[in-house]
Amino acid sequence: MPLPRKGQNIVARNSSGGQEDHEPEEFRAPLTDHLEELRTRILRSVAILVVAWIGAWYLVSPLYRKLIDHIMPAIKASLPKGTPLEIRIQNAPDAFMLLFKLSFVVGLFVALPFIIMQLWAFIAPGLKERERAPIKKVLPISVVLFFIGAYFCWLILPSAYGWFSSFFSYFPGVALLQDPMQMVSFSSKMMLAFGVCFQLPLIVFALGKLGILTSEALTKNWRQATVAIFFVAAAITPSNDPISMLMMAIPLCVLFAISVYAVKVTSKPGDDHEEELDDLD
């Protein structure tokens, strides 16, 4: 039997004339083919990132201005009256490094969906059709949730910077010389952390569909889950300030509740028994 082409569905007719999945191991490709495929996907991902990076290079100036206009009013409002405020680059090479770093962050955000598509294209041929189907539905939702989390973080950044600036009241006569490099680094880390944490509903839903977690167990232990969410929010938030932690933890608790409800609605009695019979067949 000839080997199927990459990405081709592996199906065959059973005795009743229907289609049934074959085990991917029966069509296992040589290791060199896997390595070649992985190399191709990595090179494409790098090429996509470089193109997005170059494009973002020319957008850095307006994006930087938007970031400053978004955050600086909150800092000024939180500083004690009369506190000098200045955005200052300390060294000549820092201007280039700021351009380099900000353009990379923007390019990475733009290229991320395409990089995920390349990863999926590498993994998909090794899965059965019934395993691929739910992942195809989950991947777009995952990307959307990531950008929702990043955008939500963008909305609360002024509050986080304002909270930090309020502590200048303990040190009268101190000037704030804000480093733009630190501002870009902190803001990008915060947005990345929020985007990753907003994947929680998909993780809970996937574990529920796999039978590792049940809606009854999740509902019964919702207090422990809430405490765990707050601990994760505190640990993963780069700033560790209470405002950012709450702004992350509260939406995550809501998303957790939605995911538990989704598991309960989509789970049917006897699903586990049917999956066990399928595995035996």
Side-chain angles (χ1 to χ4, degrees), residues 181-228:
M181 179 77 74
Q182 187 276 339
M183 183 180 293
V184 169
S185 177
F186 175 80
S187 301
S188 59
K189 287 178 181 178
M190 286 280 290
M191 295 175 70
L192 178 63
F194 270 71
V196 171
C197 278
F198 267 58
Q199 306 300 309
L200 175 66
L202 293 182
I203 296 174
V204 174
F205 183 76
L207 293 176
K209 295 301 290 183
L210 291 173
I212 299 175
L213 295 175
T214 63
S215 59
E216 291 78 10
L218 292 170
T219 303
K220 181 179 179 181
N221 299 293
W222 68 270
R223 294 179 180 84
Q224 294 87 332
T226 302
V227 172

Side-chain angles (χ1 to χ4, degrees), residues 197-201 229 232-233 248-257:
C197 278
F198 267 58
Q199 306 300 309
L200 175 66
I229 288 173
V232 171
M248 178 184 286
I250 292 174
L252 285 180
C253 290
V254 175
L255 292 173
F256 174 78

